[in-house]
Amino acid sequence: MDIVPVIGEVRTSENSKDPSALSDGPLPKYPEFGAGADGCDTDLNAAPMTMMPKSTEFDHQIVDRDAVRRRASIWASLPTRTRLILVVLAIDVLAAIVCCAVMVLNARSAVIVEMNATRATVEPLVADTIRMARNPSPENLLHTLDLRLQTLRHVRVAVFDAKGERIGFVLPNLRRDDHVAPSWFVALIAPPPEQHELPIVVNGSPIGKAVVTAEPLDEIDEVWGYAVSLSLASLLLNLAVLAALAIAFGRVLKPLERLADGLTRLERHDYTAHLDAPASRELAVIAERFNSVAGALGEARAANGRLNRQLLTAQDDEGRRIALELHDEFGPCLFALEANASSIARIADGESTPDRGKLAARAAEIGGIVGQVQARNRELLNRLRPHALGQVPLSECLNLLLADFGRRHPGTAFEGSFEGLARGYGDLVDLTVFRCIQESMTNAVRHGGATHVRAEAHERRGSSGGGLSTLHVVIRDDGTGLPHSHGTGLGLSGMRERVEALDGTFALDNAAPGAVVRIVIPIEPEVAEDVRSEHPPAPPSS
């Protein structure tokens, strides 16, 4: 008798009334999300709801803001290298979470595909077993099928006869019951339990059925082992990367520590600080700028030292010059006054009648000497502090200065043009303009041998949009000009320092012939407005 295998349609029963009676054991149960620690479902609606007072809500908001500020201050207090490593670590954690999510999704799909593939092999295996049998009895055929189907992975197959009784027995060595994957990992990956019934038909007569139950734990164990291996490798790799980053950040940030030390030295007025150029191009630029700033500060400090020494020398020179003038000018005058006074006393003490002519001559001599002393006294006082500044308009003071230079240097012609100047611009500006013109004319006569000197000063109003007004001063001469190797003497240094103290500009150039001094001094808007409102511009000088 020929045996013709007939395989019926597969009937799926996801919710069988008695699944334990069909399989060789209970269906696999996976932990469900939402269950409490005691296995009971938690009910959020069971807890009573209460209204929170508004004041309590406001207090919570204040506490939250304070907590945010504390966290921000803690973050700011951390070293830069620590913060960078923490940022990298946070990125690693985020990448690990994303990778785990992708791995879980891929593993779930792989488990489903693997179980479907294994389940699809059951039907050809049953048909092949029936085809290879040679007139077996139904009981032997079912036992043979049971033995062959127990070796399949990812599924559990139970064979039942036509009466619904379980055929065969479970071989304990063919299936592993202990699994390494934890329950939470199984719950993430395992698909819902499914059962499929496969009728076994021989020669048109059903002799039993095979119940196929999904068993994904073997595949999940493989996925878990792969995940553990990948996690350990990733952890070791990330630890190595973090160690390398810590070393690299330390090397990169080391020049910044040297920069901080250099700035500390500058703060302590040690301008000899110098930074070696690091390998990083950006930090090398910072080091170069730092060295430039330190050098500039050192030069400024040296210049201030030279200026202080020049000021001390100038004070000594001025005192020495005044002492010489007092000795040379006032000494003879006082001696002459004493001699004339003695002569008058002798004439008065004589027995004869005093000679009125001699007395008048002596009185005239005394008057001339007193006039000479007064002139020298005014000259000295004007050199120390121009007494007319602040008392008369600035243009008149400058004209008086030109006239005084003309009397003392009759071989040189002095001209001035001071049209449009206000009565004054404040003591500091007025004195600066006066001293600069005085020093420039002195240099033109003493060092340049000029025969003609012209001084100009005028105010240039700012634009209507609120620009600053400026005071322009120009002194020209027809002398020998500046030599190629001329130095900066005390007079030029003093003029430059005075002008730059007022945020102005000072320039000295050759004018072919002679030299020219150009000075620009800005005038603050409030000062200029007060000066123009209180003192209108002076009339043009003759």
Side-chain angles (χ1 to χ4, degrees):
M1 178 181 63
D2 296 335
I3 299 176
V4 180
V6 178
I7 305 301
E9 296 180 356
V10 177
R11 292 175 294 174
T12 303
S13 175
E14 296 184 2
N15 298 317
S16 302
K17 293 182 179 179
D18 190 8
S20 61
L22 301 179
S23 62
D24 59 349
L27 291 175
K29 295 182 180 180
Y30 312 114
E32 298 179 356
F33 295 104
D38 56 354
C40 300
D41 294 339
T42 57
D43 189 1
L44 297 179
N45 296 324
M49 299 181 65
T50 58
M51 294 297 293
M52 183 179 291
K54 293 184 178 179
S55 60
T56 306
E57 294 178 358
F58 182 73
D59 294 340
H60 277 290
Q61 293 176 0
I62 295 177
V63 171
D64 293 341
R65 286 197 295 268
D66 293 340
V68 171
R69 293 194 189 98
R70 285 195 297 270
R71 286 195 294 269
S73 62
I74 293 174
W75 174 259
S77 63
L78 294 176
T80 302
R81 179 167 60 177
T82 304
R83 284 188 284 177
L84 291 174
I85 293 177
L86 289 178
V87 169
V88 174
L89 187 60
I91 294 174
D92 285 344
V93 172
L94 181 60
I97 294 174
V98 173
C99 290
C100 289
V102 173
M103 184 177 62
V104 167
L105 294 177
N106 292 336
R108 183 178 298 175
S109 301
V111 168
I112 295 175
V113 171
E114 188 70 20
M115 286 192 305
N116 291 335
T118 304
R119 189 169 54 244
T121 61
V122 174
E123 182 177 345
L125 184 60
V126 171
D128 185 63
T129 303
I130 295 174
R131 189 183 307 109
M132 294 175 61
R134 291 292 182 264
N135 298 323
S137 64
E139 185 178 357
N140 293 334
L141 179 61
L142 293 177
H143 276 285
T144 302
L145 285 174
D146 183 68
L147 290 174
R148 296 191 66 181
L149 294 177
Q150 283 194 33
T151 59
L152 296 178
R153 299 176 69 248
H154 310 312
V155 291
R156 181 177 297 176
V157 183
V159 180
F160 296 85
D161 58 12
K163 297 178 181 180
E165 295 181 358
R166 178 76 163 82
I167 299 299
F169 52 89
V170 178
L171 297 179
N173 297 329
L174 296 179
R175 190 175 300 275
R176 188 183 62 181
D177 292 330
D178 56 329
H179 299 279
V180 296
S183 59
W184 61 268
F185 189 77
V186 174
L188 285 175
I189 296 179
E194 293 184 358
Q195 282 187 345
H196 299 273
E197 293 183 2
L198 180 65
I200 302 174
V201 180
V202 177
N203 295 329
S205 299
I207 64 173
K209 63 180 178 180
V211 179
V212 183
T213 305
E215 184 70 23
L217 294 179
D218 293 335
E219 183 68 20
I220 293 176
D221 285 342
E222 294 180 2
V223 175
W224 171 254
Y226 171 75
V228 171
S229 301
L230 181 61
S231 300
L232 291 177
S234 300
L235 178 61
L236 295 177
L237 179 61
N238 285 328
L239 291 177
V241 170
L242 289 176
L245 287 178
I247 297 174
F249 288 154
R251 294 178 61 87
V252 170
L253 298 177
K254 189 66 176 179
L256 296 182
E257 297 179 0
R258 292 197 293 268
L259 176 62
D261 296 338
L263 292 175
T264 303
R265 293 177 61 184
L266 291 183
E267 185 181 1
R268 297 172 180 173
H269 305 288
D270 182 8
Y271 302 131
T272 61
H274 180 81
L275 296 180
D276 297 331
S280 175
R281 182 176 61 182
E282 293 79 4
L283 296 179
V285 173
I286 296 177
E288 181 182 359
R289 297 293 184 272
F290 175 87
N291 294 333
S292 300
V293 170
L297 292 175
E299 292 178 359
R301 184 178 185 179
N304 288 335
R306 290 193 299 269
L307 181 60
N308 290 331
R309 290 191 295 271
Q310 290 177 353
L311 289 176
L312 294 176
T313 304
Q315 293 176 355
D316 294 339
D317 293 343
E318 187 67 18
R320 188 181 301 107
R321 185 162 49 250
I322 293 174
L324 289 175
E325 291 186 1
L326 289 176
H327 179 269
D328 295 340
E329 299 290 340
F330 288 91
C333 291
L334 294 176
F335 179 77
L337 288 176
E338 182 181 5
N340 286 316
S342 299
S343 176
I344 291 174
R346 287 195 301 271
I347 294 174
D349 292 339
E351 297 179 356
S352 60
T353 303
D355 188 351
R356 296 180 178 275
K358 291 182 177 181
L359 293 177
R362 299 294 183 272
E365 290 180 3
I366 291 174
I369 294 172
V370 170
Q372 184 178 358
V373 169
Q374 290 177 344
R376 298 301 298 172
N377 183 57
R378 284 194 300 270
E379 184 177 346
L380 288 176
L381 292 177
N382 191 56
R383 183 185 303 170
L384 296 175
R385 165 72 186 185
H387 62 279
L389 283 177
Q391 306 298 325
V392 297
L394 177 60
S395 59
E396 294 186 13
C397 290
L398 298 178
N399 285 325
L400 290 175
L401 177 64
L402 294 179
D404 181 66
F405 265 89
R407 286 192 300 270
R408 290 190 288 113
H409 304 282
T412 303
F414 296 92
E415 286 185 51
S417 176
F418 312 114
E419 291 84 359
L421 292 180
R423 180 182 179 86
Y425 300 94
D427 291 343
L428 190 57
V429 175
D430 293 350
L431 184 60
T432 299
V433 173
F434 186 91
R435 291 301 189 193
C436 289
I437 294 178
Q438 182 184 43
E439 182 66 24
S440 299
M441 291 192 300
T442 301
N443 292 337
V445 175
R446 181 181 301 171
H447 303 292
T451 59
H452 183 270
V453 181
R454 178 176 176 82
E456 301 176 0
H458 65 277
E459 179 184 350
R460 184 174 298 175
R461 304 288 179 85
S463 61
S464 58
L468 288 176
S469 298
T470 52
L471 192 61
H472 294 256
V473 180
V474 180
I475 304 98
R476 300 176 182 272
D477 65 77
D478 61 351
T480 58
L482 300 174
H484 295 290
S485 59
H486 77 283
T488 302
L490 181 61
L492 293 177
S493 300
M495 286 193 290
R496 187 182 300 276
E497 292 291 335
R498 286 177 181 271
V499 173
E500 291 180 353
L502 298 174
D503 295 331
T505 59
F506 176 87
L508 173 63
D509 298 309
N510 281 318
V516 57
V517 177
R518 293 184 177 88
I519 298 171
V520 179
I521 301 175
I523 304 173
E524 297 182 2
E526 297 82 1
V527 176
E529 187 64 27
D530 293 342
V531 167
R532 283 193 287 269
S533 61
E534 295 179 3
H535 307 289
S541 59
S542 59

